[in-house]
Amino acid sequence: MYAHVDINNCYVSCERLFRPELEGRIVVVLSNNDGCVIARSNEAKAIGIKMADAEFLVRQRLKESNAVMFSSNYALYADMSARLMNNLARYTYLLMVYSIDEAFMALGNIADLDLDKHTETISTNVFDHTGLPITVGVGPTLSLAKLANKSAKKKGRKFLVLDTAEKISETVKDFPIEDVWGVGMAYYSKLQENNIVTAHDFRELKADFVRKQMTVQGWRLHQELWGIPCNEIKDVAERSKGIESSQSFNTYQTELEKVEEAVAMHAGTVALKLRQQKSMALQLTVYLRTNKHNVKHDQYYPSLTVKVPFAANSSHEVTRICVQALKAIWQPGYKYLKTGVRATGIIPAGEVQYNLFSNYDNTKHQDISSVLDKINDRYGRGTLKLATEGVSQTWKMKQDYLSKQYTTQWSDIIITR
């Protein structure tokens, strides 16, 4: 059996956790540069606020509704996510962190366990320990666990366990096919042509027909909905195809020095993520973007991928390579809106092949990065950084409604009396 767990209205729940007076209020969280809505409370959904609604289009309606807006506080959300995952790990021998707000858990062969009681315990204890409301779906396959989770939410329940053929059949009977995990727009269009409306309709198709029309991925989903496992829980580090850090500027950038600071910051973030998952990168990509929606400006979308001489995860080495790549693709005269750094060719740190004739001092770089991480872990991210990242960082994205760093900054920790 497997469990799928996710946080209800994740970003909104994280904000409300430290502002309990917002319970029952309309709350929305905005994307980078406060551009559009990316998270909504149930109250916001009730008044018709949709995902990806542009902030300027719903601003007046939110004001009239006495709504509360927040800029995305990624440091807070990431920290609360880590606390959730640490709590979930207590209830499983194998945890796959699928995204910032959801995870899959292997429950194993637990025939003698009361699954409903066990699942309720997970839900209750996680809420008690983190303050985050979660929904738990349990099933014999990953697809059914995910389906159980979505079905529980639609029914207003905290959990749903699909441990019998009867329960599975009852749940898939009227479950919309477009809400099934793995059914994208391309598959959905094909299924519509064949009058497939529910997960039950999809299950009733012949397996050979599904494989022919939807390739092996569709066939696996079909098998999983019948309770036959075709997907397995894997370590996220093992399946990582790349690590990326990017961000839009708060205004157009035309100076190399400012963009260089941004690239250095993203390079440092990518290097940190590599070290956290004990891996290294063989390739680094730097890219620039102008605003494709502004037809009045000349457009330019350069990128450059560099093969790293020796697999790297040190902030110094990754930043040096990325800044050099930026200078190679930089062209003056354009108004840049976004830049980013991507690491690919990810390998475990213990499998690095060194060159006998190289004078590259990996130990030195690792020692410097270790000191950097220890200081930032103790005193807060950004306490110590490379000079290339700059001090003022005036190019950083717009965050007019940013909440406090309640769990990652000493100055923002809540004081009780």
Side-chain angles (χ1 to χ4, degrees), residues 69-333:
M69 287 192 292
F70 288 101
S71 301
S72 294
N73 190 338
Y74 297 119
L76 174 64
Y77 309 150
D79 186 66
M80 293 310 302
S81 172
R83 295 173 186 231
L84 170 71
M85 303 310 169
N86 286 335
N87 270 270
L88 292 179
R90 300 164 57 199
Y91 300 97
T92 179
Y93 59 91
L94 187 58
L95 178 74
M96 182 172 79
V97 179
Y98 192 68
S99 68
I100 192 171
D101 66 339
E102 60 180 321
F104 286 98
M105 302 164 58
L107 299 181
N109 186 4
I110 46 180
D112 297 329
L113 185 68
D114 185 333
L115 273 174
D116 284 285
K117 186 175 181 180
H118 183 63
T119 306
E120 184 177 19
T121 298
I122 293 174
S123 176
T124 301
N125 287 355
V126 167
F127 180 77
D128 288 344
H129 296 155
T130 67
L132 297 172
I134 63 171
T135 302
V136 186
V138 176
T141 67
L142 299 187
S143 298
L144 283 172
K146 181 94 170 179
L147 187 146
N149 189 302
K150 286 190 175 182
S151 183
K153 282 189 174 183
K154 290 180 179 181
K155 296 175 181 178
R157 298 175 56 178
K158 293 182 179 180
F159 65 91
L160 178 62
V161 176
L162 302 181
D163 54 351
T164 66
E166 292 75 17
K167 288 181 181 179
I168 294 172
S169 297
E170 180 65 25
T171 304
V172 303
K173 181 174 63 177
D174 56 358
F175 194 89
I177 188 61
E178 64 268 27
D179 289 343
V180 174
W181 183 44
V183 177
M185 286 303 299
Y187 284 166
Y188 179 52
S189 298
K190 287 184 179 181
L191 293 172
Q192 273 192 319
E193 293 173 2
N194 290 278
N195 296 317
I196 306 302
V197 179
T198 66
H200 169 77
D201 297 336
F202 180 66
R203 289 209 314 170
E204 293 303 306
L205 292 173
K206 298 292 185 181
D208 290 343
F209 174 83
V210 173
R211 185 159 194 156
K212 182 178 179 180
Q213 296 295 320
M214 300 175 63
T215 70
V216 68
Q217 295 300 326
W219 176 82
R220 287 175 179 168
L221 173 60
H222 184 265
Q223 297 295 292
E224 291 232 327
L225 291 181
W226 275 108
I228 304 170
C230 292
N231 298 306
E232 59 183 11
I233 290 182
K234 298 178 181 178
D235 190 315
V236 172
E238 292 178 0
R239 66 187 184 94
S240 177
K241 296 181 179 180
I243 294 174
E244 183 169 348
S245 176
S246 63
Q247 195 177 87
S248 296
F249 302 121
N250 58 14
T251 186
Y252 293 119
Q253 298 297 322
T254 58
E255 299 178 20
L256 174 60
E257 182 182 353
K258 297 298 182 184
V259 179
E260 191 175 302
E261 289 180 0
V263 167
M265 184 197 74
H266 293 311
T269 300
V270 167
L272 176 61
K273 290 180 179 179
L274 285 167
R275 294 195 296 275
Q276 287 175 337
Q277 68 175 38
K278 295 180 174 59
S279 61
M280 290 187 167
L282 295 171
Q283 295 184 141
L284 294 167
T285 300
V286 176
Y287 60 86
L288 289 168
R289 298 287 184 267
T290 50
N291 187 357
K292 65 180 180 180
H293 301 293
N294 192 330
V295 295
K296 296 180 180 180
H297 294 170
D298 293 334
Q299 302 299 314
Y300 184 46
Y301 314 113
S303 68
L304 179 63
T305 298
V306 179
K307 289 186 177 180
V308 182
F310 304 98
N313 66 6
S314 77
S315 295
H316 178 272
E317 186 68 6
V318 171
T319 301
R320 182 184 65 79
I321 294 172
C322 289
V323 169
Q324 287 181 345
L326 169 67
K327 292 177 178 178
I329 63 175
W330 176 266
Q331 288 290 337

Side-chain angles (χ1 to χ4, degrees), residues 275 313-315 363-377 384:
R275 294 195 296 275
N313 66 6
S314 77
S315 295
T363 302
K364 175 182 176 181
H365 287 300
Q366 292 299 317
D367 289 344
I368 294 173
S369 295
S370 177
V371 171
L372 190 72
D373 293 342
K374 288 178 180 178
I375 291 175
N376 287 333
D377 285 345
L384 187 63

Side-chain angles (χ1 to χ4, degrees), residues 30 33-34 69-72 397-403:
L30 305 175
N33 288 316
D34 296 340
M69 287 192 292
F70 288 101
S71 301
S72 294
M397 66 180 178
K398 176 183 176 183
Q399 293 178 300
D400 290 343
Y401 311 102
L402 186 65
S403 57

